[in-house]
Amino acid sequence: MRKINRALAVTAGALVLSGLLPLQSAAADGAPPKLWTFCINGWSGSLFDPAEKPVTVPGGEDAGSGCWLNYRTADDGKTWIGTDLELTLAAESVAASGYTPQQLARMLLVRTNYSATEVGKDWTGRPWTVTPDGALKLTIPACTNNCTGVFLQISGAPREQQAVLKAQLKATSPGYDPTPLPMSFDYFGRAGTQPVTFGASGTFVPVTPGRLLDTRNGTGAPAAKVGGGRSANVRIAGRAGAPAQGVTAVVLNVTATNPTMDSHVIAYPHGSARPTASNLNFAAGQTISNQVTVPVGADGTVDLYNNAGATDLIADISGYYVAGDGGQRYTSVSPKRLLDTRDPWLTPGTGTRPFGPVGGGRSISLNVAKTHPDAKAVTLNVTATNPTTDSHVIAYPHGSARPTASNLNFAAGQTIPNQVTVPVGADGTVDLYNNAGSVDLIADISGYYSATGSKFVPTGPTRVLDTRQTPGKRLGEHEELYIQPNSWKYGIPPFGVTGVTMNVTATGGTSDSHLSVFPEPSCYHFPGMWPEYSNLNFTAGQTIPNAVTGAVPTLNSCGGNTWGDSVGFYNHSGTVDVIADVSGYFVED
């Protein structure tokens, strides 16, 4: 029975199993198999039979808990009998929870160890099916591959009120009595936990970049700088290809230019409370851009708030999210360098020109279809380095008219990145156009949109990392740190999340350096295996953000309550403080 300790649940909420009745079977010897269930309260607690003692899991924490289920013969207690199981949560209880069936299906997450047909898939997630009457149902295949039981892990999000959710567990294999075994989930929250706010999960509609706001010339707003403590309101609905109704979130490239003093911009849905997390930081006189994913207000608009001084603001749309399946789904990938004009081994996939800087008024084509033939849009981190003059880069689908909206602005001699989400041309390529001078361009892929993948849930900014506060230690040279952004303490489900959108900020660096953000699925970290790509470049003393769409690895049990499911941050040189704010997540359905 010690095996339960090797892989226990990340759980919030409380679970009570009751009424453990033996299920009958037409066994050859006539002895009915008994359902033996042993549970554990917390990863270091003792095993017990819940027929004698209830299972109580602390609410609102990523703590370990789980149950061990199986049938065995009543005579010797050693012969284990495998059977398929079915778990059903009654429609009345779903309604009493205060959530929709779809929301509760994401909050009560079930994982079990592998079965005979799932060798190597340890701790497989069991998706709920919503029945026509509003109940939730899932199946657990028999564990017959030298297993000594089924480990059942249930994770419930915290909530303020208490609700008893009634369920049934029954055997479905032939020869077993299908009499249901009653179960109940005593579900409650704990004070101080992060409330769970579910946005509508949706899919992405990419568009050729279009300008929605330019305060320099009156596009979308009066032709005047945005003053300190003031906001520019940007209409999304019904513009640049976005529908008049149904837009849940928008992807914008926001640029500040001609600022009179150091400041920052915060993007948020109009009509909502303004968050404290910034999206764009800039110095007086600087022109700088950052990609922003932000929920859209009920009136179809978003606000761009300037903290101090006065600045011109520009906003270009790259795409938008709609509820349901009207758009494309996202697939996260481990970041990979697709283009580096400094490197002869990373010449463009089209092979149309040699490596080397991209001249003014020239474009370079990047073949996305070579590695992702089904991609309809792609998320890239594009970096400009060694520019000979002030310029900008425009990313757009190959074969389309080049838009006027820029994605990346830079000064002579500057190295600066920006995340770009851009549709893929009909031939599977995208173009990167340099306006003036010459510049080396680098492109790292972090994911793509296609007919398959995950849906997006916008959350608004939630801080998941700030080294100035926790752990209170700056990230050193060639050092890495790890966080789990998919956690109930941030209002995000711990399981089923495949990626997150983050705004990552570097501040107070002691030398010129860069940050790399990467998925870390391993139970063991090996510092020194440094990524070949970067997400954020900065100079000593600079405060600069960049959008990062990062993959979240599938949970792997490392034993006890330790999981290999981290997102890693690596710093190349000097020391620096790092801040990360999640604005949404991608989830399987």
Side-chain angles (χ1 to χ4, degrees), residues 88-144:
T88 302
L89 186 63
E92 297 79 9
S93 289
V94 174
S97 74
Y99 293 99
T100 67
Q102 291 76 15
Q103 290 173 339
L104 197 61
R106 298 212 306 270
M107 298 173 73
L108 292 176
L109 301 165
V110 176
R111 292 166 67 87
T112 68
N113 62 319
Y114 60 82
S115 71
T117 58
E118 298 167 328
V119 176
K121 296 182 179 179
D122 210 3
W123 285 101
T124 301
R126 307 294 174 191
W128 292 98
T129 297
V130 179
T131 65
D133 65 349
L136 297 180
K137 183 178 294 185
L138 62 81
T139 58
I140 304 171
C143 184
T144 56

Side-chain angles (χ1 to χ4, degrees), residues 566-584:
S566 304
V567 173
F569 294 77
Y570 162 79
N571 174 43
H572 181 70
S573 301
T575 65
V576 66
D577 277 312
V578 182
I579 305 162
D581 301 300
V582 168
S583 58

Side-chain angles (χ1 to χ4, degrees), residues 3 6-7 67-70 82-85 110-126 139-153 555-557 563:
K3 188 175 181 182
R6 71 179 182 83
C67 286
W68 183 19
L69 313 173
N70 217 319
T83 178
D84 295 338
L85 301 173
V110 176
R111 292 166 67 87
T112 68
N113 62 319
Y114 60 82
S115 71
T117 58
E118 298 167 328
V119 176
K121 296 182 179 179
D122 210 3
W123 285 101
T124 301
R126 307 294 174 191
T139 58
I140 304 171
C143 184
T144 56
N145 190 44
N146 296 322
C147 298
T148 56
V150 173
F151 297 122
L152 174 64
Q153 163 200 325
L555 289 184
N556 294 307
S557 171
W563 298 85

Side-chain angles (χ1 to χ4, degrees), residues 440-482:
D440 278 310
L441 294 179
I442 305 165
D444 303 316
I445 186 172
S446 58
Y448 62 93
Y449 293 88
S450 66
T452 60
S454 300
K455 289 185 176 181
F456 179 70
V457 180
T459 62
T462 300
R463 183 142 295 174
V464 296
L465 173 66
D466 189 341
T467 60
R468 301 170 302 179
Q469 299 176 2
T470 303
K473 179 180 180 295
R474 293 162 64 84
L475 187 58
E477 183 169 324
H478 296 319
E479 284 188 352
E480 299 172 358
L481 61 81
Y482 305 92

